[in-house]
Amino acid sequence: WKKDEFRNCNQTPFCKRARFRAPHSLPHYAVSDLAISEGHLKARLLPWRPSVDPVNDAGDPPRSLLLLLSVYQGGVLRLKIDEDYSAPSAPSKKRFEVPDVVLPDLEDRRLWLPRFFSAEDGAATSFYLSDGFEGFLRHDPFEIEVRREGSKDPVVSLNSHGLFDFEQLRQKTEGEDWEERFRGHTDTRPYGPQSISFDVSFHGAEFVYGIPEHASTSLALRPTKGPGVEESEPYRLFNLDVFEYLDDSAFGIYGSIPFMLSHSLKSSSGFFWLNSAEMQIDVLAPGWDNSTASDKSRIDTFWMSEAGILDAFFFVGPGPKDVLRQYASVTGTLAMPQEFAIAYHQCRWNYRDEEDVASVDASFDEHDIPYDVLWLDIEHTDGKRYFTWDRVLFPNPEEMQKKLAAKGRHMVTIVDPHIKRDDSYHVHKEASEKGYYVKDATGKDFDGWCWSGSSSYPDMLNPEIREWWADKFSLNNYGGSTPSLYIWNDMNEPSVFNGPEITMTRDAVHYGGIEHREMHNAYGYYFHMATANGLLKRGNGNDRPFVLSRAFFAGSQRYGAIWTGDNTADWDHLKASVPMVLTLGLTGISFSGADVGGFFGNPEPELLVRWYQLGAFYPFFRAHAHHDTRRREPWLLGSLAAEGELYVDDGKSYNFEHGAYIHRRFIFSDHKLTSYDLHSPPNVGLKKFTSGCTVERIILLGLPSGAEKAVIEPGNFKADIELGPLTLRAATSSVAPTIRKPNVRIADNWSIKVL
Amino acid sequence: TSISNKQYLGIDPRDLSYYKSDVIKCINGSKKFTREQLNDEFCDCPDGTDEPGTSACPEGKFYCQNAGHIPLKIFSSRVNDGICDCCDGSDEYDGNANCPNTCWEAGKAARERLKKKIETFKEGIVARKKEIEKAKEAYTKDEAELAKLKSDEKMLKELVQKLKEQKERIEKLEQEERLKKEKEEKRLREEEEKSKEQEEKAEESQQHSTDSSHEQEILMDSHDREIESRNDDVTKTESAASDAVEQENVDSGAISDDAEGLSKEELGRLVASRWTGQEASEKKDIIGNVEEDQVSHDPDEHYGYNSETEENRAKYDEDDRANYDEDNFEDDQEDEYEDDNAVSDGSYIPDQYEKTGSADTTDTSNPSWFGKIQRTVQNVLHAFNFFKTPVNVSEAAHIRKEYEESNSKLSRVQSKVSSLSEKLKHDFGKEKEFYLFYDHCFESKQNKYVYKICPFKQASQVEGHSTTRLGSWDKFEESYRVMLFSNGDRCWNGPDRSLKVRLRCGVKNEVSDVDEPSRCEYLAFMSTPSVCLEDKLKELEQKLGQLTTMQPQNHDEL
């Protein structure tokens, strides 16, 4: 953990500017020109300036903004606020709207608003949202509310504290310096300040969850500002490759999902800001605004982003499952994984050659330990040139994969986005000739340092480049690959070892003149998307892809699994993995897990056993280790015993074929590890879960009462030497199949019990 | 007995009688089941007794007869799983997998390997006997020598003590003389000063006096200097060590502190080094030919094994199958101990042991050696006249010389005693079969590295001029099947290096594969007659007998 290498809020000018403003201290915006247009509610937001504002006086006078409200089936309200590009003094540069995240058919599910109603004697407007809920727009200052019909109780609201601010694009004034410097890196910031910030209140909420990815030992988001908060730093959403990240910190790591859920026993709601620039979010402790009558049944939050537009979704709930479903109706549900993908994965940096692979594979059989996937990290390549093999270590990769496949097993190789700048490397040659790389601020190919040394990064924002990338995975293009080979995307934050904060410079330029700062948090998402599509193409649409990615964004669940990156082999990281994986599940990424055993360091034997025990509950279940660590394949555990079982019944929420279960049972006892693996529907092309519900719902949502307790307090692992709180058992003890034994009957009356 | 009966599928013929009654007990005694419940695809016994032929019990085992090859017990999870596990195909009987009987071919190969292995064992056992004889001889000789050395040591000590006393006497006399002389000089000087008060003269006399004390100073000086220089060495090593520590601190600090002073490439490499463990100091020689140093600074370099790519990689499991594959036992048999240093097969007597050995051994083994010293000393002592002053300079020097020579002889004898005692303290195996390993090192070249294994001493990895200590001798493990070296050089961000040497039967001593399965934990294989045991041979012969008798009649090979 190299704290100094990363910016905190005070070193981040947009965050520093926004965070310390008092409520209602800004010039505010008022609604005018309200109208229905093509079923949307449209309005103009007029800046209202009580006096001369010394800060904004420097530039052009603020223009009005355009506001658009849309309603979608199932209780979803969308709010867009952007510049009025038709205004005479409008900027030539358009702000970035994140494409390809919202489901393409969302527009088909839009409700055509026929009318709106005047409320509060014309000072506000209300409109239909869903049964029992209405949208509500207060005019001056503008405020958006989702509220219950009848009681008029608010559920979620925006700008209730008048903290909305929209830094409009403008001309640089003479003598103004827009550059930002950090640790020897200069960000030229050619378009100047363009941040957006606002407050969101969750009414009736006791807890808020979500906005991954942060390492935390708590599922509920702790307040970051206000009374009782000691180290005040907002939750940061900025995809970064953080070496040895801390187990409990508001600091942003590999992925970002700007989606927050609120919950209380009475109701749940959600808020999602579709924006891929750096974001900082405060959860405000009651009394943060010095109001004496602090309302404890409300949680206020404050959202700041460096760039982009305001494109936000309100989810009305009222139950937690409803919120998940509503969020999934916007960003999509989990892609149905193949059966092998939800089984046990064995990884290490690195299984170093074919003989090592054969020996590890044979040892699993020798110990009768089921496993389904063997992984190869970066060292399998020829000098970190992805899609190639170190032919000395791996002279016959096809044969190696076929041997595994003969036993129903699969292999995963790593493919990262940093392309070695080596003219003899075909991927680089093609990418540079076609101009497919992200450009630096001067217009040259961005050149950064990563595993492959001097490297460039394909511009994954461009759909054409994503297609080109996808084609790299065909069996012809990827020499040495076979149909049983699947892919692992690492370092796609993107990680740039010599870049500011170990990532790409913000003024790098993407497709359509989009600055990297505007799309940074989605780079890994597009890379993951392109890779998954590559595997889909490879199988002519008949083979469900499996791609693990480290970086993620809202919607990544449609492309594959996510893991929590380079964790550490200690008890605190084991503990933190539970809220981290659950948070991913709550924000749509239900196929996720942490490295079993901890990536850095050597776990003590009991920790490793506990981690396997817990790992059986991660939807994505993979052991991984740094190359400096001792070997720790499960048969090396010796005589320690552990047992964990997980059964998830379904047939309803996942729309599985009759008799199919997601089912995993994992036992380590009597000197051996046994995982009775899961059973899922037969391989059918492009299946998807039809619900946004998470795999972990049995813990969080599926239990009628006491559920929060079961999730939020996973217990003191170390103290629980007895196999206690983690053990979930099925009511029957029938034998379930391993992946090598596919035809055994499964009893059909699984039920879940927390022991 | 025929086990063609489907009901008795998966049962070892030797256990058949157990299943003959109508009601059968689970082997662990937990339950009972009827014969109808045998292999009915429903698990009644938690230990799998009732389902030997199906996959119903997770704890069950399936027996395949594998006529023509070795019978095998497989996990019940392998039954009807679509994968052929038994060479006779009996584990896949539900028709979903087509498993041809390959036992004849596989068995033939297995028999060949087994025969070869038995040959190796036979030769190895002969070699081992020879070695043990030699070892015992050497051990007895060493014991006798130690006893003799100890008695020599005792007497030599007495002589040295005598010489020391004489030397001290002489020194005392010399000291007295010197004091007297000084006094005399002082008196003379004072007289001179009194009589002649001219400055020049005074100066001259001053000069004179310093000259004589100067001599003493030189003596003192050189002594002091010696001590000092010894101290220096200590401080040097210490400061070098602390320098290294500091250096390390500086380096790791540099990542966060000096980042701004680095070139883009240096910064990239520095950050990469956190994950790879590549030392930051290496960054200095990185700049230059990018292509070349990308190759040489790949993180693979830091776990040696990645760049080692010989076909003869290490096996993790020294199981029988692996052994069958070894055909290196065919090599010419050579008893390395009959060769002088047996360098030819990778074993040699290391220099340092040769030195400490030879010089003293030739001396001490000469019977006249001790008497000679004794006589010399007696002569010296007699010849010296203690009452004569001034001390005869040549005689004094003679005494000193004798003292020093005897003393250094004594310390050589003492060091020989201690090294021999140290040697004899070790555990050399039940029959002292590893005794002759003591003064030998074994080498194996694996690509750019040369591994040196010196049993009971240390092991190292040599690359060009740089040597990495893999460990010091720790102990035997697994009843003399493994030699363990531990506490080697520390790994960056990792454990102290260690090396396990797995021993397997072979006709000569030879290190074959060296590998690093885990970071800085090395594993080597060494073949040696020392572990060719009769019991194991009998076992192998039995196995071969079994294999041969179980051949199908129509394939009589012999």
Side-chain angles (χ1 to χ4, degrees):
Chain A
W1 169 241
K2 312 277 179 194
K3 194 181 176 184
D4 296 345
E5 280 176 20
F6 302 103
R7 307 207 299 190
N8 59 30
C9 179
N10 277 336
Q11 293 165 311
T12 310
F14 82 88
C15 187
K16 191 180 178 184
R17 280 198 301 276
R19 199 176 184 226
F20 295 100
R21 269 182 211 130
H24 301 292
S25 64
L26 278 177
H28 67 259
Y29 289 87
V31 172
S32 85
D33 304 316
L34 200 62
I36 294 281
S37 163
E38 294 186 326
H40 300 277
L41 187 63
K42 269 190 174 167
R44 194 170 278 281
L45 289 179
L46 299 177
W48 186 80
R49 308 176 66 194
S51 61
V52 175
D53 176 0
V55 178
N56 278 354
D57 233 27
D60 313 324
R63 301 174 295 270
S64 62
L65 299 169
L66 294 181
L67 174 149
L68 188 75
L69 284 160
S70 322
V71 174
Y72 298 89
Q73 280 171 22
V76 178
L77 170 66
R78 184 182 197 170
L79 163 71
K80 266 195 188 186
I81 297 177
D82 197 356
E83 314 242 12
D84 179 1
Y85 299 101
S86 66
S89 58
S92 55
K93 148 111 187 150
K94 279 199 83 177
R95 286 170 170 263
F96 182 56
E97 272 188 66
V98 190
D100 305 309
V101 169
V102 165
L103 289 177
D105 70 340
L106 181 67
E107 213 39 40
D108 303 341
R109 287 178 275 120
R110 185 158 65 85
L111 301 182
W112 203 264
L113 284 178
R115 67 185 86 84
F116 56 89
F117 309 95
S118 177
E120 295 181 359
D121 297 328
T125 297
S126 72
F127 53 96
Y128 175 83
L129 177 45
S130 70
D131 287 352
F133 294 91
E134 62 178 21
F136 188 80
L137 174 62
R138 199 164 269 119
H139 295 169
D140 190 11
F142 99 95
E143 181 187 356
I144 314 274
E145 255 180 31
V146 165
R147 58 190 207 175
R148 286 194 184 79
E149 231 172 9
S151 71
K152 312 291 184 200
D153 287 341
V155 178
V156 198
S157 64
L158 186 146
N159 203 27
S160 303
H161 294 90
L163 287 168
F164 174 79
D165 184 34
F166 196 109
E167 293 181 324
Q168 298 185 0
L169 294 170
R170 59 187 169 84
Q171 294 293 317
K172 190 148 94 175
T173 55
E174 226 171 283
E176 199 179 5
D177 180 14
W178 278 353
E179 288 191 353
E180 279 180 15
R181 275 157 292 268
F182 181 68
R183 291 177 62 86
H185 298 282
T186 301
D187 174 1
T188 58
R189 293 216 317 156
Y191 302 105
Q194 47 180 313
S195 77
I196 301 172
S197 51
F198 51 84
D199 56 284
V200 174
S201 298
F202 297 93
H203 302 266
E206 287 174 46
F207 302 103
V208 284
Y209 306 105
I211 56 167
E213 183 171 46
H214 308 98
S216 177
T217 53
S218 163
L219 180 67
L221 295 166
R222 301 186 187 107
T224 54
K225 192 182 165 189
V229 177
E230 280 175 18
E231 282 176 52
S232 180
E233 189 65 29
Y235 287 106
R236 186 182 194 200
L237 290 182
F238 194 59
N239 295 1
L240 291 176
D241 182 4
V242 180
F243 179 73
E244 293 183 345
Y245 67 78
L246 302 177
D247 58 75
D248 212 347
S249 163
F251 191 81
I253 49 180
Y254 313 99
S256 297
I257 301 180
F259 169 43
M260 193 182 279
L261 307 87
S262 83
H263 182 58
S264 72
L265 289 177
K266 280 178 281 174
S267 79
S268 304
S269 62
F271 177 80
F272 166 51
W273 184 7
L274 177 55
N275 182 304
S276 54
E278 178 182 1
M279 203 178 284
Q280 301 267 4
I281 303 166
D282 267 318
V283 174
L284 303 163
W288 64 277
D289 54 352
N290 300 318
S291 64
T292 42
S294 68
D295 185 357
K296 289 204 171 166
S297 68
R298 191 188 73 218
I299 294 179
D300 297 324
T301 59
F302 183 55
W303 301 60
M304 304 157 260
S305 173
E306 188 188 4
I309 65 164
L310 201 173
D311 184 2
F313 295 80
F314 299 79
F315 307 116
V316 304
K321 277 194 244 181
D322 301 317
V323 178
L324 298 183
R325 193 176 52 237
Q326 287 150 4
Y327 173 72
S329 77
V330 174
T331 63
T333 52
L334 176 66
M336 179 73 82
Q338 290 203 37
E339 189 179 33
F340 78 83
I342 28 184
Y344 174 63
H345 299 252
Q346 184 65 45
C347 187
R348 178 178 178 82
W349 178 19
N350 214 79
Y351 289 121
R352 59 174 191 268
D353 56 18
E354 286 175 7
E355 193 171 331
D356 198 3
V357 166
S359 149
V360 169
D361 179 65
S363 296
F364 272 99
D365 283 339
E366 192 184 317
H367 296 85
D368 203 24
I369 300 171
Y371 90 107
D372 287 70
V373 194
L374 195 72
W375 291 54
L376 296 180
D377 208 328
I378 50 176
E379 314 299 339
H380 82 276
T381 59
D382 173 14
K384 318 301 184 297
R385 294 168 185 87
Y386 301 103
F387 308 103
T388 70
W389 300 81
D390 181 325
R391 288 286 175 173
V392 177
L393 302 177
F394 296 92
N396 301 300
E398 289 103 333
E399 200 184 315
M400 168 177 67
Q401 292 156 50
K402 280 176 189 155
K403 278 185 194 159
L404 291 175
K407 292 195 236 174
R409 291 173 180 152
H410 299 80
M411 177 162 265
V412 168
T413 51
I414 195 165
V415 175
D416 292 348
H418 46 264
I419 304 302
K420 189 179 182 72
R421 294 191 61 82
D422 164 11
D423 290 335
S424 64
Y425 176 33
H426 68 283
V427 179
H428 169 68
K429 195 161 177 285
E430 246 180 88
S432 54
E433 282 171 6
K434 290 176 188 266
Y436 278 178
Y437 286 133
V438 179
K439 304 288 183 288
D440 66 19
T442 70
K444 288 189 301 203
D445 286 348
F446 174 85
D447 182 348
W449 197 271
C450 204
W451 295 130
S452 44
S454 173
S455 305
S456 290
Y457 297 71
D459 183 6
M460 291 298 164
L461 186 59
N462 184 339
E464 177 192 325
I465 298 172
R466 288 204 296 269
E467 283 307 307
W468 166 78
W469 181 256
D471 288 334
K472 293 281 157 282
F473 293 91
S474 74
L475 295 174
N476 281 336
N477 285 338
Y478 187 173
S481 71
T482 68
S484 69
L485 184 75
Y486 294 87
I487 302 298
W488 171 16
N489 286 162
D490 197 1
M491 317 300 280
N492 52 338
E493 292 73 25
S495 180
V496 180
F497 290 155
N498 58 356
E501 303 192 85
I502 324 295
T503 192
M504 196 173 271
T505 46
R506 292 173 195 232
D507 54 10
V509 181
H510 293 262
Y511 173 59
I514 302 303
E515 278 192 285
H516 186 67
R517 89 182 69 251
E518 300 175 277
M519 65 80 68
H520 172 84
N521 284 344
Y523 180 84
Y525 167 82
Y526 293 115
F527 184 66
H528 193 190
M529 174 194 285
T531 305
N533 286 336
L535 292 187
L536 201 56
K537 273 182 153 180
R538 180 186 78 176
N540 296 317
N542 293 318
D543 186 41
R544 295 202 294 265
F546 170 75
V547 183
L548 177 73
S549 168
R550 190 168 71 184
F552 58 84
F553 190 66
S556 287
Q557 65 270 19
R558 308 210 295 272
Y559 303 108
I562 297 296
W563 96 107
T564 62
D566 297 350
N567 60 356
T568 299
D570 65 36
W571 290 95
D572 291 331
H573 271 267
L574 171 70
K575 195 171 177 182
S577 74
V578 176
M580 288 176 79
V581 168
L582 288 173
T583 297
L584 286 169
L586 288 173
T587 51
I589 315 250
S590 39
F591 193 22
S592 66
D595 281 346
V596 168
F599 177 69
F600 290 114
N602 292 307
E604 55 183 295
E606 194 202 332
L607 174 61
L608 185 54
V609 168
R610 277 281 165 185
W611 217 316
Y612 268 111
Q613 189 183 12
L614 178 66
F617 296 84
Y618 298 152
F620 172 65
F621 181 27
R622 180 186 76 152
H624 186 34
H626 186 272
H627 62 54
D628 280 352
T629 62
R630 282 195 285 279
R631 291 272 172 149
R632 50 162 104 134
E633 286 72 31
W635 55 88
L636 299 172
L637 277 168
S639 61
L640 281 157
E643 181 172 342
E645 298 178 28
L646 172 67
Y647 300 101
V648 180
D649 74 315
D650 228 334
K652 290 173 194 154
S653 57
Y654 296 122
N655 194 21
F656 279 153
E657 309 290 317
H658 176 71
Y661 303 84
I662 285 191
H663 164 219
R664 181 183 293 144
R665 185 164 176 248
F666 184 82
I667 291 176
F668 184 83
S669 65
D670 196 19
H671 296 248
K672 67 181 191 191
L673 179 80
T674 313
S675 155
Y676 294 104
D677 251 297
L678 43 111
H679 220 50
S680 73
N683 271 7
V684 208
L686 280 174
K687 258 183 116 93
K688 274 187 186 155
F689 290 100
T690 55
S691 154
C693 231
T694 66
V695 174
E696 313 88 70
R697 78 178 192 85
I698 55 144
I699 312 173
L700 178 65
L701 308 164
L703 297 172
S705 62
E708 287 161 78
K709 189 92 181 157
V711 179
I712 297 166
E713 298 296 337
N716 179 347
F717 299 120
K718 191 157 190 183
D720 297 331
I721 302 296
E722 293 296 315
L723 302 175
L726 285 176
T727 311
L728 302 181
R729 282 178 186 280
T732 76
S733 61
S734 294
V735 174
T738 68
I739 205 104
R740 290 195 62 188
K741 201 165 58 172
N743 295 318
V744 181
R745 302 175 298 272
I746 308 173
D748 55 8
N749 59 339
W750 301 114
S751 63
I752 309 301
K753 217 165 45 172
V754 179
L755 294 182
Chain B
T1 44
S2 157
I3 52 163
S4 61
N5 186 338
K6 187 136 196 234
Q7 200 187 3
Y8 294 107
L9 208 62
I11 299 173
D12 186 335
R14 287 169 295 186
D15 297 334
L16 262 182
S17 56
Y18 188 84
Y19 289 93
K20 288 295 182 192
S21 55
D22 289 336
V23 177
I24 306 159
K25 262 192 185 169
C26 302
I27 287 165
N28 69 5
S30 59
K31 280 179 183 167
K32 281 178 191 163
F33 61 95
T34 65
R35 189 122 53 95
E36 284 67 47
Q37 285 170 283
L38 180 61
N39 283 338
D40 69 344
E41 302 235 5
F42 188 90
C43 189
D44 298 288
C45 297
D47 67 359
T49 313
D50 65 309
E51 296 295 320
T54 78
S55 58
C57 292
E59 300 298 313
K61 289 277 166 67
F62 180 92
Y63 175 91
C64 12
Q65 196 183 12
N66 290 347
H69 196 1
I70 308 162
L72 198 63
K73 270 193 176 174
I74 60 169
F75 294 109
S76 68
S77 60
R78 312 289 202 261
V79 176
N80 286 331
D81 67 345
I83 297 163
C84 308
D85 295 285
C86 301
C87 64
D88 63 5
S90 60
D91 61 313
E92 297 297 319
Y93 55 81
D94 67 356
N96 285 335
N98 176 29
C99 297
N101 189 324
T102 58
C103 290
W104 173 244
E105 279 306 307
K108 193 174 161 189
R111 277 188 301 279
E112 288 307 314
R113 286 194 301 266
L114 198 51
K115 278 179 190 160
K116 206 176 262 176
K117 193 171 177 185
I118 286 170
E119 283 312 302
T120 305
F121 261 81
K122 281 181 175 162
E123 281 184 58
I125 283 168
V126 174
R128 182 175 188 273
K129 277 185 184 148
K130 266 196 216 163
E131 251 179 61
I132 288 174
E133 265 172 46
K134 268 192 226 151
K136 282 186 174 154
E137 221 173 84
Y139 186 80
T140 322
K141 200 176 134 203
D142 280 349
E143 269 188 329
E145 174 162 350
L146 180 61
K148 184 175 177 300
L149 279 170
K150 276 183 174 165
S151 82
D152 286 357
E153 180 192 6
K154 198 176 157 221
M155 287 185 283
L156 196 53
K157 244 186 190 161
E158 284 167 17
L159 278 183
V160 167
Q161 185 56 33
K162 275 185 195 159
L163 281 170
K164 192 182 173 196
E165 281 162 17
Q166 302 300 3
K167 183 180 122 250
E168 280 167 1
R169 260 189 182 149
I170 294 168
E171 278 165 1
K172 207 177 157 200
L173 287 174
E174 282 177 335
Q175 178 75 2
E176 278 166 12
E177 257 178 66
R178 195 162 47 233
L179 284 174
K180 220 162 108 189
K181 199 174 157 197
E182 270 176 18
K183 233 182 187 172
E184 178 68 16
E185 276 172 3
K186 201 182 170 195
R187 192 182 57 79
L188 280 172
R189 201 164 53 237
E190 277 166 5
E191 275 175 12
E192 270 180 70
E193 272 171 8
K194 273 181 195 166
S195 61
K196 294 185 175 182
E197 290 195 19
Q198 285 150 342
E199 275 185 7
E200 284 164 42
K201 290 259 172 178
E203 265 177 28
E204 204 187 337
S205 92
Q206 191 81 14
Q207 189 65 43
H208 192 67
S209 92
T210 30
D211 269 356
S212 70
S213 61
H214 195 63
E215 236 175 310
Q216 208 181 337
E217 259 169 39
I218 287 169
L219 259 172
M220 297 264 294
D221 249 28
S222 70
H223 180 68
D224 281 354
R225 236 179 271 136
E226 217 174 286
I227 290 172
E228 232 168 72
S229 78
R230 236 177 283 141
N231 284 346
D232 256 356
D233 283 351
V234 173
T235 28
K236 255 181 220 155
T237 6
E238 273 173 2
S239 73
S242 69
D243 272 353
V245 170
E246 261 168 44
Q247 194 56 43
E248 222 173 84
N249 290 341
V250 167
D251 284 347
S252 57
I255 293 176
S256 49
D257 296 330
D258 297 347
E260 292 176 31
L262 298 175
S263 77
K264 285 239 155 191
E265 181 171 335
E266 285 170 307
L267 180 62
R269 288 186 187 280
L270 199 56
V271 171
S273 74
R274 291 174 190 158
W275 280 270
T276 58
Q278 178 175 332
E279 267 113 299
S281 58
E282 289 182 40
K283 69 178 188 274
K284 290 188 190 85
D285 49 62
I286 280 167
I287 308 141
N289 187 337
V290 173
E291 202 40 53
E292 195 180 281
D293 64 47
Q294 270 159 13
V295 173
S296 63
H297 288 273
D298 267 353
D300 356 351
E301 283 240 336
H302 291 270
Y303 27 158
Y305 53 73
N306 264 320
S307 37
E308 290 166 24
T309 49
E310 289 289 85
E311 280 187 358
N312 54 347
R313 307 208 123 270
K315 279 90 188 157
Y316 293 132
D317 300 290
E318 193 215 1
D319 57 8
D320 287 345
R321 265 163 295 143
N323 270 344
Y324 291 146
D325 297 327
E326 305 294 315
D327 48 4
N328 44 4
F329 306 131
E330 287 178 326
D331 296 353
D332 290 350
Q333 185 181 0
E334 248 179 1
D335 192 335
E336 65 170 74
Y337 297 115
E338 280 168 7
D339 284 358
D340 267 344
N341 283 331
V343 181
S344 59
D345 65 353
S347 141
Y348 65 97
I349 297 169
D351 286 354
Q352 68 244 57
Y353 308 113
E354 214 163 10
K355 265 183 208 152
T356 36
S358 60
D360 272 345
T361 314
T362 40
D363 267 8
T364 47
S365 58
N366 183 347
S368 62
W369 164 80
F370 188 75
K372 210 168 120 192
I373 290 191
Q374 215 166 12
R375 273 195 305 280
T376 318
V377 171
Q378 292 304 333
N379 292 344
V380 168
L381 292 178
H382 282 299
F384 189 72
N385 184 350
F386 290 105
F387 306 103
K388 192 176 142 197
T389 40
V391 177
N392 180 319
V393 177
S394 83
E395 279 178 353
H398 196 58
I399 288 278
R400 273 197 200 99
K401 185 168 161 277
E402 281 306 326
Y403 167 75
E404 267 148 30
E405 275 177 7
S406 306
N407 199 28
S408 81
K409 191 66 126 184
L410 174 63
S411 50
R412 263 180 289 160
V413 169
Q414 277 171 331
S415 95
K416 182 74 188 159
V417 164
S418 91
S419 75
L420 205 49
S421 317
E422 191 57 39
K423 174 179 179 181
L424 292 171
K425 256 196 287 185
H426 283 289
D427 172 6
F428 293 104
K430 283 177 185 141
E431 301 177 76
K432 307 241 180 309
E433 63 269 32
F434 296 104
Y435 195 68
L436 299 174
F437 275 17
Y438 189 84
D439 284 330
H440 283 80
C441 292
F442 305 96
E443 270 191 11
S444 171
K445 191 167 180 336
Q446 310 269 318
N447 293 325
K448 58 183 177 178
Y449 297 115
V450 175
Y451 291 89
K452 286 189 178 174
I453 298 172
C454 305
F456 305 101
K457 291 179 182 110
Q458 79 282 313
S460 54
Q461 180 195 52
V462 183
E463 185 194 3
H465 295 292
S466 88
T467 297
T468 306
R469 280 184 52 254
L470 299 185
S472 312
W473 173 258
D474 191 338
K475 60 187 173 193
F476 282 107
E477 279 184 338
E478 296 176 33
S479 48
Y480 305 100
R481 304 286 299 183
V482 168
M483 301 194 291
L484 180 65
F485 296 83
S486 55
N487 289 315
D489 289 342
R490 191 162 184 78
C491 264
W492 189 90
N493 206 15
D496 292 342
R497 283 177 178 79
S498 65
L499 168 71
K500 267 188 178 179
V501 184
R502 290 209 155 269
L503 302 174
R504 50 192 179 198
C505 172
V507 289
K508 58 178 187 173
N509 294 306
E510 195 168 48
V511 175
S512 49
D513 303 317
V514 186
D515 194 9
E516 191 186 354
S518 266
R519 175 97 166 126
C520 297
E521 291 176 7
Y522 296 79
L523 178 66
F525 289 92
M526 180 176 165
S527 51
T528 170
S530 302
V531 295
C532 300
L533 300 172
E534 306 258 9
D535 290 353
K536 182 76 183 166
L537 174 63
K538 272 183 201 140
E539 219 175 90
L540 294 173
E541 281 172 335
Q542 232 164 27
K543 211 165 167 184
L544 183 65
Q546 219 178 0
L547 264 179
T548 317
T549 53
M550 288 181 80
Q551 278 174 64
Q553 293 307 310
N554 53 343
H555 280 299
D556 198 355
E557 180 191 26
L558 301 172

